[in-house]
Amino acid sequence: MEQTIRVELSTTKKEKPKTDQLEFGRTFTDHMFVMEYSDPLGWHNAEILPYQPLMVDPSSMIFHYGQSVFEGLKAYLTPDGDAQLFRPERNLQRLNRSNDRLCIPPIDEKFALKAIKQLVALEKDWIPSTEGTSLYIRPFIISTEPYLGVAPSRHYKFIVILSPVGAYYKEGINPVKIAVENQYVRAVVGGTGEAKTGGNYASSLKAQEVSAKEGYAQVLWLDGVEKKYIEEVGSMNVFFKINGEVVTPALNGSILEGVTRNSVIQLLKHWNIPVVERKISIDELHQAYKDGLLEEAFGAGTAAVISPIGQLTWNLEHLVINNGNTGELSKNIYDTLTNIQYGKEKDPFNWIEKVNEPVRVKR
Amino acid sequence: MEQTIRVELSTTKKEKPKTDQLEFGRTFTDHMFVMEYSDPLGWHNAEILPYQPLMVDPSSMIFHYGQSVFEGLKAYLTPDGDAQLFRPERNLQRLNRSNDRLCIPPIDEKFALKAIKQLVALEKDWIPSTEGTSLYIRPFIISTEPYLGVAPSRHYKFIVILSPVGAYYKEGINPVKIAVENQYVRAVVGGTGEAKTGGNYASSLKAQEVSAKEGYAQVLWLDGVEKKYIEEVGSMNVFFKINGEVVTPALNGSILEGVTRNSVIQLLKHWNIPVVERKISIDELHQAYKDGLLEEAFGAGTAAVISPIGQLTWNLEHLVINNGNTGELSKNIYDTLTNIQYGKEKDPFNWIEKVNEPVRVKR
C-alpha cells in the first residue's frame, strides 16, 4: 500500500534571488518534504509543507550522537524547459546503504523518488536557467527521539529541502591546488567512510581549515591505516590519468561510492578509454609524476562534476600536473556529463529521470 | 568583562517522576541554559529558560555535517542535602579540546561552570536522593548556521539540559559480558576518537546492535590500524588488573580521556597500587588470561562509574574473569569514587565542587 503525500501550500512566496547572486546552499525554496518514522508505525505522515523551522527537543538524539545521513543531487532545466534529475535512484540506494551503517530504518526508495519529483515539480520555478546553474536537492534523515541513551533512535524525520545554486565554475572549469593530508584521517575501514553521514564531514573540517590557511582548495585524503593509499579529495572521489590509463581508488569500505564517480567510469568505458579501480599509493603517483606519466588528475562529485587538480603538494614538494591547466580528458568528461545533465546531449546510458514522468524502476 | 545570565523562570512545574521509575536520559527538568555564538559577536546572550523545543532551520549544519560536541557529568546530593559536582572543570576543559578538533570556537570554561552551577542550583529539587541516583548534566554545542556548504559553522548554540537518573546498578554492582569487536572500528589516530563528538557515537551503534543481539552488553574496541591494541569498552575507558598491576590503554589520540579514567588512576596511585598507562594488545591480554594472571577487568565512565567485566569473548573463546564476579579492587574503586561523589567520604583530591560555592579555578 503506497503512502499518499499530503500537500500544504505556502500562502506566501519568497522572492527568488538573482541568478548571478546565487551562492551554494544559502537560499531555500518555498516548500519542503517531511516524513516521520516511529516504532511501530514505520515511515508515515508524508507531507509537502511550507519551508519552516523544525521544532526539535534539546534532548533529541541528533544533537548528541550524530545519527544522521544525507544525500545531494540536482534538478536541471533543459533547453526545452523540462526539469530533470541525474541518476536519482543511485542517491536513494546509497541513502539506504548509509541508513544500514547508521542503524536507521530503510526508506522506500521508489516512494522517496516520487516525493522528490513531486516537490521539484511544485518548485519548478525555482530551478535557475542560466548556464551551469541548478536546483540542489538535499534529502536527509535525522534521529529525533528525545533520549540521551547511546542506542539507535526510535524516531526519525526524512526531510527534503531544495536550494537554487549558481554555476560552480563562474569563469569556466578551473584547476585547483590540493595538499596531501598527512596528519588527519577522514575514515578507516570498519568505520563509516562509505556512508554519507554527518560525522565524516565534521571530522574533515579541521584538515580543510588548516590547508585552506596554507592556500589549498582541498586536501587529498590517504587511508587511515597505512597513510599511504589515496582515498578521496575533499568531499569528492579522485581520478588520475597515468600513461593513458585512468586510475581511481577501488571502493574499500572507507571511500564514498560517488554517483559522479560511477558515471565517469561508465563514460570512459563507453569511450574505450582504459579505466581501472584499484589501490593507488601516493608513492606510486609521485613516481608516475617524476617519470612524466601523470597526465591529468581530477576530483569528481555532484557539486563541481569535475574539478581538475592543477597542483598536488606532498611533503613540501609541488607536483604541477598538466602545467596547471585543465586536461583534455577532464574537460571532455565535464562537458559530456553536464551536457547530459542539462539535456543538451543524448543520454545513451538511461541516466536521466524526467521530473514529470512517473517513477521508473532502475537499478 | 563577564557575561550576565538572564533568567526566565518557567510558569509551570513538571511533575517529578518517582525515583524508582527513573530511566537514564528520558526525563528533563523545568529549565535549561542556552548561550549563542555568532560571528563577530562571539558567545553571547546567555540565558536560563524554561525547558523547551529548539526552533532550528532544516538547513542548519547540525542536521547535515555533524559538527557537534557534548559532555556528561552529574550533580549528587550529599547526606547533608548539599548539591555537588565531581571534577566539572575537567569536563569543560575536554569540551574545549573537542571544540578545537571540530573547529568550534572555545567557550569560557569558568563562565560555563558558573552557568551549570546556577542551573543546577535552580533545579536542586530535581536531584533525586535515593542510593545511586543523581542529576545528569548534559552540556552540548550544536552548529546552527543555515548553510549547506561543508565548512565550520558561523553560528552555534551551547545548551545545558538536566535529567534526573536512577541508580545504574539497581541490585548492586554487577559484571557484564563483553565481545571483542573484530569488524567495526570506533576511531583511528588522526580521526576524532579523543573528541566527544556525535559522529563517534553514531559510528559505534552498528557494532553495539550486532553484539547486543548475541547477548553482549558492550563491545571492546580495538585500534583501527592494526586491530590489535585495546582502546575502549563501549563508551567507557577500560582497565585490567594483571598480576597485581593495573593496566589501562595509553591516550594515543583515538581514545577519549575519561574523567573517571583519570580519577581511577589517581586513586590507585594514592593507594600505592601499581598502575600503568601503556599499549596493551588483545593477544597480551589473552596470554595473561591463559597464564592465570588476568585478575580483574572493568570499564570506567560517568554513567556506571565502574562496570566490571565478567566475561570477554574473543574469536569464539570466552574468557571468564574472576569467575564472572566483581573483583575486590573494582568494588573498592567503585565504593570510594561513589562515596566521594555523594559526599559520604572525605575528598583528599579536591575533586568536589559544591554547587553553592563560587567557581574555583582548578586545573
Side-chain angles (χ1 to χ4, degrees):
Chain A
M1 190 190 67
E2 185 148 294
Q3 285 192 61
T4 54
I5 300 173
R6 195 182 76 88
V7 178
E8 179 189 331
L9 292 180
S10 176
T11 52
T12 58
K13 300 270 179 178
K14 297 179 198 167
E15 200 181 333
K16 293 179 182 66
K18 290 196 179 128
T19 301
D20 60 354
Q21 287 168 3
L22 282 174
E23 278 187 85
F24 177 81
R26 292 218 183 264
T27 307
F28 300 91
T29 67
D30 294 310
H31 298 88
M32 62 197 223
F33 174 81
V34 182
M35 179 165 66
E36 291 178 69
Y37 178 93
S38 62
D39 271 344
L41 272 180
W43 288 108
H44 67 285
N45 205 17
E47 297 181 299
I48 288 175
L49 298 171
Y51 187 94
Q52 60 192 281
L54 307 174
M55 296 271 286
V56 191
D57 195 274
S59 69
S60 287
M61 296 177 112
I62 181 63
F63 295 141
H64 305 272
Y65 304 129
Q67 199 193 6
S68 68
V69 295
F70 71 94
E71 277 299 327
L73 65 162
K74 289 175 174 175
Y76 308 89
L77 212 57
T78 71
D80 297 337
D82 287 345
Q84 61 185 31
L85 309 176
F86 183 74
R87 312 187 77 186
E89 71 284 355
R90 286 190 75 90
N91 292 93
L92 295 167
Q93 289 159 16
R94 186 172 64 188
L95 189 67
N96 268 341
R97 291 199 302 276
S98 301
N99 279 339
D100 181 66
R101 182 63 183 83
L102 274 297
C103 299
I104 297 173
I107 56 158
D108 178 334
E109 293 167 21
K110 208 178 145 191
F111 178 72
L113 180 52
K114 186 183 138 180
I116 288 172
K117 289 173 74 167
Q118 187 172 337
L119 181 65
V120 171
L122 177 66
E123 304 286 59
K124 196 182 161 201
D125 287 355
W126 279 93
I127 311 178
S129 58
T130 54
E131 177 85 21
T133 62
S134 59
L135 186 66
Y136 185 77
I137 303 168
R138 169 56 58 91
F140 62 106
I141 300 178
I142 55 173
S143 47
T144 51
E145 186 177 355
Y147 176 46
L148 296 184
V150 179
S153 178
R154 294 178 304 180
H155 306 165
Y156 300 89
K157 279 185 200 287
F158 171 67
I159 301 174
V160 183
I161 56 177
L162 307 177
S163 173
V165 295
Y168 192 91
Y169 297 107
K170 296 205 168 40
E171 295 163 0
I173 183 169
N174 205 15
V176 291
K177 291 180 183 178
I178 301 288
V180 179
E181 177 58 45
N182 285 319
Q183 183 182 358
Y184 296 105
V185 169
R186 178 189 166 272
V188 68
V189 175
T192 56
E194 65 184 346
K196 211 163 171 74
T197 180
N200 294 342
Y201 294 79
S203 72
S204 78
L205 295 172
K206 187 80 174 179
Q208 171 64 24
E209 190 178 69
V210 171
S211 69
K213 277 183 190 148
E214 293 166 358
Y216 300 101
Q218 296 280 357
V219 299
L220 188 78
W221 297 105
L222 302 182
D223 78 281
V225 173
E226 300 183 62
K227 302 250 179 94
K228 182 175 164 186
Y229 294 101
I230 294 167
E231 299 225 317
E232 299 189 15
V233 58
S235 49
M236 292 182 283
N237 295 115
V238 67
F239 289 80
F240 304 99
K241 183 165 172 246
I242 302 171
N243 198 20
E245 182 187 64
V246 180
V247 180
T248 191
L251 301 175
N252 62 350
S254 61
I255 294 173
L256 192 80
E257 185 179 354
V259 176
T260 311
R261 175 186 184 279
N262 180 282
S263 307
V264 169
I265 293 169
Q266 279 198 52
L267 192 59
L268 290 170
K269 286 180 177 169
H270 183 72
W271 286 345
N272 289 317
I273 293 173
V275 55
V276 57
E277 302 173 63
R278 65 168 170 87
K279 272 187 163 188
I280 176 167
S281 71
I282 186 70
D283 295 292
E284 179 190 341
L285 192 76
H286 184 236
Q287 189 60 49
Y289 175 78
K290 284 201 296 185
D291 295 344
L293 301 174
L294 178 55
E295 296 157 3
E296 300 187 30
F298 58 89
T302 294
V305 187
I306 297 298
S307 178
I309 300 169
Q311 181 189 301
L312 194 62
T313 297
W314 182 47
N315 294 339
L316 303 177
E317 189 181 345
H318 303 302
L319 286 56
V320 177
I321 302 166
N322 195 36
N323 297 315
N325 297 318
T326 299
E328 192 188 336
L329 181 64
S330 308
K331 183 71 166 64
N332 285 343
I333 295 169
Y334 176 80
D335 288 342
T336 304
L337 287 182
T338 53
N339 281 341
I340 292 173
Q341 287 167 341
Y342 287 90
K344 296 177 181 173
E345 194 171 318
K346 242 187 75 187
D347 166 24
F349 306 100
N350 197 24
W351 282 340
I352 292 302
E353 177 95 19
K354 293 276 183 189
V355 165
N356 286 316
E357 285 171 4
V359 170
R360 289 177 292 157
V361 179
K362 281 195 280 197
R363 283 285 150 173
Chain B
M1 188 190 67
E2 184 148 297
Q3 286 191 62
T4 54
I5 300 173
R6 195 183 77 86
V7 178
E8 179 190 332
L9 293 179
S10 177
T11 52
T12 58
K13 300 268 180 180
K14 296 179 200 169
E15 200 181 333
K16 293 179 182 66
K18 291 196 177 127
T19 301
D20 59 355
Q21 287 166 4
L22 282 173
E23 278 187 86
F24 177 81
R26 292 215 183 266
T27 307
F28 300 91
T29 68
D30 293 310
H31 298 88
M32 62 196 217
F33 173 81
V34 182
M35 179 165 66
E36 291 177 71
Y37 178 93
S38 63
D39 271 343
L41 273 179
W43 288 107
H44 66 285
N45 204 17
E47 298 181 299
I48 288 175
L49 297 172
Y51 186 93
Q52 60 192 280
L54 308 174
M55 296 271 285
V56 191
D57 195 274
S59 69
S60 287
M61 297 178 112
I62 181 61
F63 295 142
H64 304 272
Y65 305 129
Q67 199 193 6
S68 68
V69 295
F70 70 94
E71 276 299 328
L73 65 162
K74 290 175 174 174
Y76 308 88
L77 212 57
T78 71
D80 297 337
D82 286 345
Q84 62 185 29
L85 308 177
F86 182 74
R87 313 187 75 186
E89 71 284 356
R90 286 190 76 88
N91 292 93
L92 295 166
Q93 288 160 16
R94 186 172 62 187
L95 189 68
N96 267 341
R97 291 200 302 276
S98 300
N99 279 339
D100 181 65
R101 181 62 183 85
L102 275 297
C103 301
I104 297 173
I107 57 159
D108 178 335
E109 294 168 20
K110 207 177 146 193
F111 178 71
L113 180 52
K114 185 183 139 183
I116 288 171
K117 288 173 75 167
Q118 188 172 336
L119 181 65
V120 171
L122 177 66
E123 303 287 61
K124 197 183 160 202
D125 287 353
W126 278 94
I127 312 179
S129 58
T130 54
E131 176 84 23
T133 61
S134 59
L135 186 67
Y136 184 78
I137 303 168
R138 168 56 59 92
F140 63 105
I141 299 178
I142 55 173
S143 46
T144 51
E145 185 178 356
Y147 177 45
L148 296 184
V150 179
S153 178
R154 295 178 304 181
H155 306 163
Y156 300 90
K157 281 185 198 287
F158 172 67
I159 301 173
V160 183
I161 55 176
L162 307 177
S163 173
V165 294
Y168 192 90
Y169 298 107
K170 297 207 166 41
E171 296 165 359
I173 183 170
N174 204 15
V176 292
K177 293 180 182 175
I178 301 286
V180 178
E181 178 58 45
N182 285 318
Q183 183 183 356
Y184 296 106
V185 169
R186 178 188 166 273
V188 68
V189 174
T192 56
E194 66 184 346
K196 210 162 171 74
T197 180
N200 293 342
Y201 294 78
S203 73
S204 78
L205 295 173
K206 186 80 176 180
Q208 171 64 23
E209 190 178 68
V210 171
S211 70
K213 278 185 189 146
E214 294 167 356
Y216 299 101
Q218 295 280 358
V219 298
L220 188 80
W221 297 106
L222 301 182
D223 77 281
V225 173
E226 299 183 64
K227 300 250 179 93
K228 182 175 165 184
Y229 294 101
I230 294 167
E231 299 225 317
E232 299 190 15
V233 58
S235 49
M236 293 183 282
N237 295 116
V238 67
F239 289 79
F240 303 99
K241 183 165 172 247
I242 301 171
N243 198 21
E245 182 185 64
V246 180
V247 180
T248 191
L251 301 175
N252 61 351
S254 61
I255 293 174
L256 192 79
E257 186 178 355
V259 177
T260 311
R261 174 187 184 279
N262 181 282
S263 307
V264 169
I265 293 170
Q266 280 198 51
L267 193 59
L268 290 170
K269 287 180 176 167
H270 184 71
W271 286 345
N272 290 316
I273 292 172
V275 56
V276 58
E277 301 173 64
R278 65 169 170 86
K279 271 189 164 187
I280 176 167
S281 71
I282 185 69
D283 295 290
E284 179 190 341
L285 192 75
H286 184 237
Q287 188 61 49
Y289 175 78
K290 285 201 296 185
D291 296 343
L293 301 174
L294 177 55
E295 296 157 2
E296 299 187 30
F298 59 88
T302 294
V305 187
I306 297 296
S307 178
I309 299 170
Q311 181 190 300
L312 194 62
T313 297
W314 183 47
N315 293 340
L316 304 177
E317 188 181 347
H318 303 301
L319 285 56
V320 177
I321 302 166
N322 195 37
N323 296 315
N325 298 318
T326 298
E328 191 187 338
L329 181 64
S330 308
K331 183 71 167 61
N332 285 344
I333 296 170
Y334 176 80
D335 287 344
T336 304
L337 287 181
T338 53
N339 281 340
I340 292 173
Q341 287 166 342
Y342 286 91
K344 296 177 180 174
E345 193 170 318
K346 242 188 74 188
D347 165 24
F349 306 101
N350 197 24
W351 283 341
I352 292 301
E353 177 95 20
K354 294 275 184 191
V355 165
N356 287 318
E357 285 170 4
V359 169
R360 291 177 290 159
V361 179
K362 285 194 279 197
R363 282 284 150 177

